[in-house]
Amino acid sequence: MKILVCVSKTPDTTSKIAFTDGNTKFDEAGVQWIINPYDEWYSLVRAIELKEANPAATIHLVTVGNADAEPIIRKALALGGDEAIRVNTDNSDAYYIAAQIAEVAKQGGYDLIFTGKETIDYNGSSIGGMVAELVDSPYISLATKFDLNGTTATVVREIDGGEETAEVTLPVVVSCQKGMAEQRIPNMRGIMAARTKPLKVVEPIAVDALTSIQSFELPPAKAGVKLVAPDNVAELVRLLHEEAKAI
Amino acid sequence: MSVLIFIDQSEGHVKKSSLEALTYGADVAKQLGTTAEGIVLGTVTEDLAALGKYGVSKIHQVSNAALNNVDAQVYASVISEAATATGATVIVFSHNQTGKAVAARVAAKLKAGLVAGACALPNTSNGFSVKKTVFSGKAYAHVNILSAVKVISLNPNSYKTVATEGTAVVEALAVTVNEPKVKITAVNKITGEVPLTEADIVVSGGRGLKGPEHWGILLDLAKELGAATACSRPVGDAHWRPHHEHVGQTGVQVAPNLYIAIGISGAIQHLAGVNRSKVIVVINKDPEAPFFKAADYGIVGDAFEVVPQLTSAIQKMKAGA
């Protein structure tokens, strides 16, 4: 069985978000980069668990990004996975990225493609669905559980107002979220092994980007908090009702 | 040229987030000087013609019971075929669970640029750019769509539903409906709860509540307000509350009218998930809690005393009103 895990480089969740060049570029100064948490904690770790249960399985990682993404890929390889592929481009259009991943997927003939439910920078939740469409596979979005029995997968996924259990025959594309697996910390053996695992760099295929970012904007600052004394809760209710018109 | 809005339904009822998408799509159509049409899949018990009051002139219906469960692959093929048949140049979804699965597939199928998580009308003064939330609510991006056909999925609770007069023409649409490859074996809906992303009011608790056995005061307040309940990440991780209630950068991002945070310090990751709320109230005994900086109203005090008082004060206000 061949598993492809899509990983993306994102700013650490504690990063202060700022922009440069007239609000057209993300300010990378002082930013710590991490593996997108959904890619790492849920999809990669679940893939590793599947390989632990079936040692004949292989895991390939794919990332679409420039050379700055390599430390993140090494970290992912330290957790597990047999080799990584980096598609060398800076483009951030979801369709462009999905088309690159779909190309890698077609070349590799994977049974299972995992993505995180979204990246914590662009929050599109789009790549999994687009890749599934481009490789013509079924798509299980927002999965919280994934079990495999031969070539039949049983999954639980989030739907509006609840969850749903489904069965599907591989190949399938799955977007993963909380519940799939628990976060792991790479150990020294993994870190050492990751140094020598193959990291293949491929050039992107020619695809038209369908969107481009024009500019960024920060939300307006709050005017400041109005404090109400703890023994005067009725005043808070009055403010919420009359001033804020929120209740 | 027209705007096609996907109307998401559950058990025959149109979802609130889809009414927002309808209003939004109708406004996009007005902006472009064209008409707005809806598409609904599966069997619906609601009066679809009445959805005309949100500004759509026509609703295409594929009334096939096989479409009562969402299958991203089948839905995408039906909606894409409908978009092509109706000459739609803008396709609008809600960025809810269904929209997240389907809009991306439709965009890839039609080679249409997608803005996922839009929060305002497009700016068409120079091209076609749509504002969306990025960095999990810490910022916004204005994204240009470069393709002829455009797909937009609208964040729930970010566009106000406006109902006026009007009736839509409901027409059956003949499209190919493929057999789904995914077989749904069980559906487990949480009934009686307000869905978090659609809620007007959210009451959320953190570690300050000290344990799951203390959640009663929060649930009472939520009940009084008709609010959805939420929690911070440590609370979800400790299994005091179910995972799906976790609000924040790696959980659910919400944008209610009113967000009441009880015993939550306000870590940057939590703020990212809630800072699009219109009004934020923070109740915390620590005056240095960072959440107060992001709040509109605050009470520095003991949640175990303040929250029950708040519930009864709201009761009184309602009784007096």
Side-chain angles (χ1 to χ4, degrees), chain A residues 5-26:
Chain A
V5 177
C6 308
V7 295
S8 181
K9 177 190 96 166
T10 57
D12 179 73
T13 56
T14 58
S15 302
K16 193 169 151 37
I17 304 300
F19 303 102
T20 60
D21 295 25
N23 281 333
T24 58
K25 271 206 184 102
F26 175 60

Side-chain angles (χ1 to χ4, degrees), chain B residues 242-313:
Chain B
H243 279 329
H244 67 257
E245 285 197 0
H246 162 204
V247 163
Q249 187 157 10
T250 54
V252 182
Q253 283 110 46
V254 295
N257 266 323
L258 175 61
Y259 186 82
I260 303 179
I262 301 165
I264 303 177
S265 63
I268 187 168
Q269 296 94 331
H270 187 78
L271 297 182
V274 306
N275 66 6
R276 286 185 300 120
S277 310
K278 282 164 203 85
V279 178
I280 295 179
V281 174
V282 170
I283 300 167
N284 202 303
K285 67 176 180 194
D286 175 11
E288 302 298 320
F291 217 149
F292 283 114
K293 289 201 177 72
D296 299 280
Y297 302 99
I299 291 183
V300 179
D302 184 350
F304 297 105
E305 286 167 21
V306 172
V307 175
Q309 285 177 33
L310 183 57
T311 308
S312 63

Side-chain angles (χ1 to χ4, degrees), chain A residues 11-19 23 26 33 37-38 41-42 93-95 98 117-142 154-155 157-169 171-173 177-179 182-183 207-247, chain B residues 8 10 15 17 69-73 76-77 95-98 100-102 104-109 111-117 126 129 131-147 181-191 195 197-198 201 225 233 236-237 239 243-244 246 248-253 257-258 260 268-269 275 277-281 283 292-302 306 309-311 313-314 317 321:
Chain A
D12 179 73
T13 56
T14 58
S15 302
K16 193 169 151 37
I17 304 300
F19 303 102
N23 281 333
F26 175 60
W33 296 97
Y38 294 108
W41 303 346
Y42 309 123
D93 173 52
Y95 178 79
K117 81 155 184 176
E118 64 184 45
T119 59
I120 60 165
D121 49 7
Y122 293 113
N123 308 107
S125 213
S126 315
I127 300 296
M130 287 184 177
V131 170
E133 188 61 39
L134 295 171
V135 301
D136 198 23
S137 277
Y139 176 45
I140 305 282
S141 54
L142 308 174
T154 305
V155 287
R157 68 168 152 195
E158 180 193 327
I159 55 170
D160 248 2
E163 57 178 36
E164 179 173 273
T165 309
E167 271 177 20
V168 64
T169 306
V172 62
V173 180
Q177 62 166 337
K178 200 164 204 162
E182 296 290 333
Q183 184 178 5
V207 177
D208 287 331
L210 304 177
T211 64
S212 68
I213 292 177
Q214 189 181 67
S215 62
F216 292 100
E217 184 185 322
L218 289 170
K222 285 269 179 187
V225 61
K226 247 185 210 176
L227 287 178
V228 177
D231 57 358
N232 194 9
V233 171
E235 171 63 6
L236 176 65
V237 174
R238 188 193 70 79
L239 286 168
L240 288 176
H241 184 59
E242 292 175 12
E243 187 179 84
K245 298 194 190 325
I247 56 173
Chain B
D8 194 13
S10 174
K15 292 179 189 170
S17 54
N69 286 318
V70 179
D71 182 276
Q73 197 167 18
S77 114
H95 194 56
N96 64 357
Q97 285 86 340
T98 311
K100 282 176 186 174
V102 180
R105 287 198 81 124
V106 169
K109 203 175 199 59
K111 279 194 102 180
L114 166 67
V115 173
N126 177 20
S129 108
K131 184 176 174 179
K132 68 160 291 206
T133 50
V134 288
F135 298 102
S136 307
K138 289 178 186 167
Y140 299 100
H142 297 267
V143 181
N144 292 319
I145 304 185
L146 311 167
S147 52
K181 290 182 191 160
V182 180
K183 198 176 118 210
I184 291 158
T185 54
V187 176
N188 180 12
K189 293 226 174 175
I190 307 154
T191 48
T197 51
E198 290 191 3
I201 304 179
L225 289 167
R233 180 168 170 216
D237 283 354
H239 303 289
H243 279 329
H244 67 257
H246 162 204
Q249 187 157 10
T250 54
V252 182
Q253 283 110 46
N257 266 323
L258 175 61
I260 303 179
I268 187 168
Q269 296 94 331
N275 66 6
S277 310
K278 282 164 203 85
V279 178
I280 295 179
V281 174
I283 300 167
F292 283 114
K293 289 201 177 72
D296 299 280
Y297 302 99
I299 291 183
V300 179
D302 184 350
V306 172
Q309 285 177 33
L310 183 57
T311 308
I314 290 163
M317 182 203 79

Side-chain angles (χ1 to χ4, degrees), chain A residues 1-5 47 50-51 54-61 82-83 85 104-114 146 148 150-151 170-172 200:
Chain A
M1 187 181 57
K2 289 184 78 179
I3 309 172
L4 183 66
V5 177
L50 292 172
K51 188 182 158 90
N54 171 14
T58 53
I59 301 174
H60 290 180
L61 310 179
D82 300 291
E83 61 176 79
I85 301 146
V104 169
K106 283 176 196 162
Q107 301 283 340
Y110 298 94
D111 305 289
L112 194 52
I113 301 175
F114 275 171
F146 181 96
L148 204 53
T151 56
L170 304 185
V172 62
K200 205 163 87 190

Side-chain angles (χ1 to χ4, degrees), chain B residues 82-225:
Chain B
T84 309
T86 60
T89 49
V90 180
I91 309 164
V92 177
F93 291 85
S94 168
H95 194 56
N96 64 357
Q97 285 86 340
T98 311
K100 282 176 186 174
V102 180
R105 287 198 81 124
V106 169
K109 203 175 199 59
L110 298 175
K111 279 194 102 180
L114 166 67
V115 173
C119 57
L121 282 176
N123 180 342
T124 51
S125 60
N126 177 20
F128 192 101
S129 108
V130 187
K131 184 176 174 179
K132 68 160 291 206
T133 50
V134 288
F135 298 102
S136 307
K138 289 178 186 167
Y140 299 100
H142 297 267
V143 181
N144 292 319
I145 304 185
L146 311 167
S147 52
V149 177
K150 298 158 175 75
V151 181
I152 301 171
S153 65
L154 176 71
N155 268 335
N157 262 354
S158 59
Y159 203 78
K160 202 170 157 41
T161 303
V162 180
T164 52
E165 299 288 307
T167 311
V169 179
V170 182
E171 271 185 11
L173 186 72
V175 287
T176 322
V177 178
N178 299 321
E179 194 66 33
K181 290 182 191 160
V182 180
K183 198 176 118 210
I184 291 158
T185 54
V187 176
N188 180 12
K189 293 226 174 175
I190 307 154
T191 48
E193 261 184 47
V194 186
L196 195 47
T197 51
E198 290 191 3
D200 284 326
I201 304 179
V202 174
V203 177
S204 188
R207 259 183 307 193
L209 284 173
K210 295 195 171 80
E213 66 277 16
H214 297 138
W215 239 258
I217 53 167
L218 187 148
L219 298 178
D220 288 345
L221 175 61
K223 197 170 162 217
E224 195 55 45
L225 289 167

